[in-house]
Amino acid sequence: DGGITQSPKYLFRKEGQNVTLSCEQNLNHDAMYWYRQDPGQGLRLIYYSQIVNDFQKGDIAEGYSVSREKKESFPLTVTSAQKNPTAFYLCASSIDRGAMGPQHFGDGTRLSIL
Amino acid sequence: AQTVTQSQPEMSVQEAETVTLSCTYDTSESNYYLFWYKQPPSRQMILVIRQEAYKQQNATENRFSVNFQKAAKSFSLKISDSQLGDTAMYFCAFILTSGTYKYIFGTGTRLKVLA
């Protein structure tokens, strides 16, 4: 079955450390997205990519970085510059450049500070 | 700027009853898609229903239906015959069919179905 795989499910970060969240999809979708969700809140867009080797900042990109070297992969790095990284992170993809289809989501990664 | 507003942070409904979740949005564009997503306690985001703005007919998916009022920029979700498994956060979202490919999400409504 096609889908989106996020790993790890739980991740802990030490002060000053960069951590990378993995997102892989086998849906052959062009567009991929990273969202942050804080308790009781909605989704805030961190970065999105419409095509390989191209990505755009979302609403809260500071302290995060991404790459899109392959169509199926869109890893997110939470850098030490992100002072409040504790949150639930969701990766999503959608079918084409027009993004007229619904988004498909992974199961999420919960990031906590040690 | 486009925005989505869900004015009901929390709602509850008795099992087998009907409940309506409200959503309003703001955009100056005329072509867009609207979605309702469900996020149960497992945190998996699941598409519930989708509506194309150019279609006048309201979308339905089994027990889920929408009331799409384009002039009023309203997109409410009706859940009929509520089931315990409908307990979840519900998010309204939309995306323009041209320009930026960002989805705009509301802040969500937490629905609890009571036995």
Side-chain angles (χ1 to χ4, degrees), chain A residues 33 35 37 40-43 45 48 50 58-59 88 90 94 97-103 105-107 110, chain B residues 33 35 37 39 42-47 50 89 91 95-97 99-103 105-108 110:
Chain A
Y33 305 76
Y35 294 94
Q37 188 177 26
Q41 297 190 27
L43 279 66
L45 182 65
Y48 65 106
Q50 298 160 210
D59 301 316
F88 187 66
L90 280 165
S94 60
R97 286 179 62 95
M100 297 177 192
Q103 288 187 309
F105 287 84
D107 289 339
R110 185 172 300 281
Chain B
Y33 285 71
F35 308 92
Y37 286 91
Q39 187 180 40
S42 66
R43 307 304 295 270
Q44 170 79 52
M45 290 282 282
I46 303 163
L47 177 70
R50 155 187 167 167
M89 280 287 285
F91 293 97
I95 185 169
L96 301 177
T97 60
T100 179
Y101 301 139
K102 289 169 58 175
Y103 290 79
F105 283 83
T107 52
R110 186 178 301 279

Side-chain angles (χ1 to χ4, degrees), chain B residues 70-108:
Chain B
K70 191 171 184 179
K73 296 180 183 175
S74 171
F75 183 60
S76 61
L77 175 70
K78 185 171 84 171
I79 306 174
S80 304
D81 186 25
S82 297
Q83 300 176 359
L84 295 177
D86 295 333
T87 293
M89 280 287 285
Y90 286 82
F91 293 97
C92 178
F94 87 95
I95 185 169
L96 301 177
T97 60
S98 63
T100 179
Y101 301 139
K102 289 169 58 175
Y103 290 79
I104 310 299
F105 283 83
T107 52

Side-chain angles (χ1 to χ4, degrees), chain A residues 66-79:
Chain A
V66 293
S67 62
R68 187 86 187 276
E69 297 176 2
K70 298 186 295 182
K71 186 175 185 177
E72 58 270 23
S73 178
F74 191 42
L76 173 74
T77 296
V78 184
T79 74

